[in-house]
Amino acid sequence: MKHLAFAAGMLGATAAFADTPELIVYTYDSFVSDWGPGPAVEKAFEAECGCDLKLVGAGDGAALLARIKLEGARSDADVVLGLDTNLTAAAKATGLFADHAVSADYALPFAWEDTTFAPYDWGYFAFVHNADATAPKNFGELAASDLKIVIQDPRSSTPGLGLLMWVKAAYGDKAPEIWEGLADNVLTVTKGWSEAYGLFLEGEADMVLSYTTSPAYHLIAEEDASKAAAAFDEGHYMQVEVAGKLAATDQPELADQFLAFMVSDAFQSIIPTTNWMYPAVTPAEGLPEGFETLISPEKSLLLTENDAADLRDMALEEWLSALSR
């Protein structure tokens, strides 16, 4: 009788599990890390949706698009979270993404009108350094210095691609000259952000390509004010991170529910102290104490998605040419 009861219970549990819808979200590795937003986002959304949310790390941001292109309409993903505006034109060109119906009171510095991708956070790229060190005020000063920097590969990393767009937006046709000057400052190029930042924290480099918001992590999470972001007088390139629904998803309603949840307070309040970026929608309680200490760029740089797509190959060739000498 006990065996029958146990078997019946197991059958019931199996049936219940089978009835639980599953949503698969491809994202970048740091998002799903123990210290990233993933665990809290998963818990909060599953409490709301009654589903099984699977967050799948797929390398760094730019690697996401490559994986989706490779898998095509057969992809297991329902949602991709972690592209940015330097990649959205290329993502749309695949025809693999469907439009969204997300509406929100965004706190972005500009109006958001994209009907395919919805933003969830944003920030400015910057070189992070030890606060007690003298930092360069622009790319020219950096190139003229003996400082060693760690950057990310633009072919796999959105910060790496963002740096190429930063130099291109600031210097245009003179970008190759900037890269020629910076080449001997580059200690190494990593596949993703986590590896680069780790090398900096280990003392392997003087500066690392990251974000103006990165020092907030050390200040808030570690009570450590020893890190700072260098303010560059050319301005700082902006990153807006987005998510989109795959057209071939077999869970379209659940994907829509996730995208709507993404701009809710439950999700947005997680972002500042886990992804260490500005939330796309300001949480009800505002930004955490410590964010007011961050540098605020006097000039914001951002190429349109189409300009970024048009310039990407040229900028990549300029970068490769300079670093290969």
Side-chain angles (χ1 to χ4, degrees):
M1 201 52 195
K2 289 181 181 179
H3 294 297
L4 289 173
F6 176 78
M10 286 298 293
L11 287 171
T14 302
F17 182 80
D19 292 336
T20 301
E22 180 181 82
L23 186 74
I24 298 176
V25 176
Y26 282 3
T27 185
Y28 43 83
D29 288 344
S30 62
F31 195 95
V32 301
S33 66
D34 291 341
W35 46 266
V41 166
E42 183 177 1
K43 181 179 179 181
F45 185 62
E46 287 183 346
E48 178 181 301
C49 70
C51 66
D52 180 19
L53 175 62
K54 290 193 176 299
L55 297 170
V56 179
D60 212 5
L64 290 171
L65 182 56
R67 178 165 176 176
I68 289 299
K69 283 182 175 180
L70 180 65
E71 294 179 351
R74 301 165 313 198
S75 177
D76 291 333
D78 302 296
V79 172
V80 173
L81 182 151
L83 304 180
D84 67 13
T85 55
N86 293 325
L87 294 171
T88 49
K92 291 173 185 176
T94 66
L96 297 171
F97 290 87
D99 282 352
H100 67 78
V102 176
S103 178
D105 183 15
Y106 292 120
L108 300 171
F110 59 93
W112 188 261
E113 299 176 348
D114 194 319
T115 59
T116 305
F117 294 99
Y120 62 92
D121 70 14
W122 66 282
Y124 294 100
F125 294 115
F127 285 96
V128 173
H129 60 94
N130 290 318
D132 59 359
T134 301
K137 296 181 175 63
N138 50 56
F139 282 106
E141 287 190 10
L142 175 56
S145 75
D146 294 326
L147 296 171
K148 292 302 179 183
I149 62 175
V150 182
I151 62 175
Q152 300 86 26
D153 194 323
R155 294 163 295 188
S156 58
S157 165
T158 50
L161 181 57
L163 178 59
L164 265 59
M165 296 298 104
W166 185 1
V167 172
K168 203 67 180 171
Y171 290 98
D173 293 340
K174 295 183 179 180
E177 299 173 26
I178 298 298
W179 280 115
E180 288 175 14
L182 290 173
D184 61 355
N185 298 97
V186 178
L187 176 69
T188 191
V189 178
T190 64
K191 187 175 181 180
W193 175 88
S194 297
E195 302 95 314
Y197 207 81
L199 288 173
F200 166 68
L201 292 180
E202 291 166 7
E204 296 295 325
D206 301 299
M207 306 178 78
V208 61
L209 176 64
S210 194
Y211 299 88
T212 62
T213 46
S214 296
Y217 163 75
H218 302 285
L219 187 63
I220 297 171
E222 300 179 335
E223 298 183 351
D224 176 7
S226 68
K227 302 296 183 288
F232 275 20
D233 52 28
E234 301 103 325
H236 288 253
Y237 196 83
M238 186 186 306
Q239 181 183 46
V240 181
E241 295 193 294
V242 301
K245 177 177 68 172
L246 274 298
T249 175
D250 59 1
Q251 296 285 352
E253 294 181 358
L254 196 55
D256 287 339
Q257 185 180 354
F258 178 81
L259 292 177
F261 169 78
M262 186 180 72
V263 297
S264 72
D265 200 70
F267 183 107
Q268 291 291 299
S269 62
I270 294 170
I271 290 296
T273 56
T274 55
N275 224 31
W276 303 100
M277 295 279 278
Y278 292 108
V281 180
T282 303
E285 296 186 0
L287 294 174
E289 184 177 353
F291 269 68
E292 77 282 355
T293 67
L294 303 174
I295 65 167
S296 181
E298 294 184 5
K299 184 178 181 181
S300 298
L301 303 173
L302 183 66
L303 297 170
T304 67
E305 63 172 18
N306 290 326
D307 285 345
D310 291 342
L311 291 171
R312 183 183 181 187
D313 289 345
M314 180 191 301
L316 181 60
E317 180 58 36
E318 293 167 353
W319 176 80
L320 287 169
S321 177
L323 266 63
S324 63
R325 292 179 182 176

